[in-house]
Amino acid sequence: MRKVIWHYNHADWYVDKVIAQAEVYKNSMNVNKDGEINITPGADNDVTTIGNRWINNSVYVFGGGRNQNDIKMGRFDCSSFVHWAFSQVGVKLGELTSVSTETLKHLGTAIKVEDMQPGDLVFFDTYKKDGYVGIYLGDGNFIGAQSFTGVAIANMNDGYWKEKFNHRVKRIDYVKK
């Protein structure tokens, strides 16, 4: 592995850094015989933080994330990322192959904006009504798969996301592992 990475970048410090980061990922998850990612006991299993492993390590693909190969490669759209995050904490939000913002907006309990809590789903009118969904983190921030950044944390209190937030908030009840 060192040789392969070194051929990409001939700096020993870079090779060491990549291998160290791979160990972090390897130690925080495992893959079962079906290629599905499973959480290692003792790892952080909160739906608001489970997706952090994909920050700067994913790409947005409209319609992506609906098969295990896409997931292994970090290719998500907003709804498949939300589906994946909840599945990692043991909550099934419908079938992976057919999840969409349209299916997600009908799940859970409607919540007033002033009552939002970390883990709630927040919806935005982007290319269509309820065209985008993310997971609320608190303090006006949410995590989701975004077209320019892949999985990222964004603030919904200013700029583009403030303009697009449609005040639809849904709570999916689950118990942290």
Side-chain angles (χ1 to χ4, degrees):
M1 186 56 74
R2 289 189 69 80
K3 199 175 201 179
V4 171
I5 298 167
W6 186 85
H7 280 287
Y8 174 76
N9 184 324
H10 298 304
D12 288 330
W13 66 266
Y14 178 82
V15 174
D16 293 340
K17 186 175 180 179
V18 169
I19 288 174
Q21 187 62 50
E23 281 299 308
V24 169
Y25 287 120
K26 183 175 135 187
N27 292 332
S28 68
M29 67 175 106
N30 60 59
V31 180
N32 69 19
K33 65 180 174 54
D34 296 321
E36 297 168 333
I37 296 171
N38 295 311
I39 302 304
T40 301
D44 189 353
N45 293 343
D46 187 296
V47 74
T48 63
T49 56
I50 200 84
N52 289 351
R53 71 185 63 182
W54 293 115
I55 294 173
N56 297 322
N57 192 30
S58 62
V59 346
Y60 180 90
V61 176
F62 188 81
R66 285 172 179 74
N67 61 64
Q68 291 306 315
N69 189 53
D70 274 2
I71 292 170
K72 282 191 257 184
M73 301 298 291
R75 297 187 295 235
F76 297 99
D77 66 11
C78 64
S79 55
S80 66
F81 171 74
V82 166
H83 185 282
W84 174 84
F86 275 88
S87 73
Q88 299 306 292
V89 297
V91 177
K92 188 168 181 175
L93 300 178
E95 293 301 318
L96 175 61
T97 56
S98 59
V99 67
S100 68
T101 55
E102 191 63 31
T103 63
L104 292 174
K105 77 179 187 180
H106 295 290
L107 300 177
T109 305
I111 302 296
K112 294 179 184 174
V113 171
E114 56 270 17
D115 296 329
M116 284 191 304
Q117 294 178 3
D120 289 343
L121 301 184
V122 288
F123 291 82
F124 301 82
D125 293 343
T126 53
Y127 72 101
K128 68 174 189 169
K129 183 169 181 54
D130 299 312
Y132 183 87
V133 62
I135 301 169
Y136 186 66
L137 300 176
D139 297 324
N141 295 311
F142 71 93
I143 187 169
Q146 301 169 27
S147 59
F148 291 107
T149 60
V151 174
I153 294 172
N155 189 289
M156 55 195 282
N157 290 333
D158 56 50
Y160 177 81
W161 294 112
K162 179 179 182 178
E163 178 185 317
K164 299 297 183 179
F165 180 49
N166 67 15
H167 298 90
R168 182 188 303 276
V169 181
K170 298 300 279 280
R171 180 160 301 146
I172 308 295
D173 292 319
Y174 75 99
V175 177
K176 293 180 189 177
K177 289 183 181 178

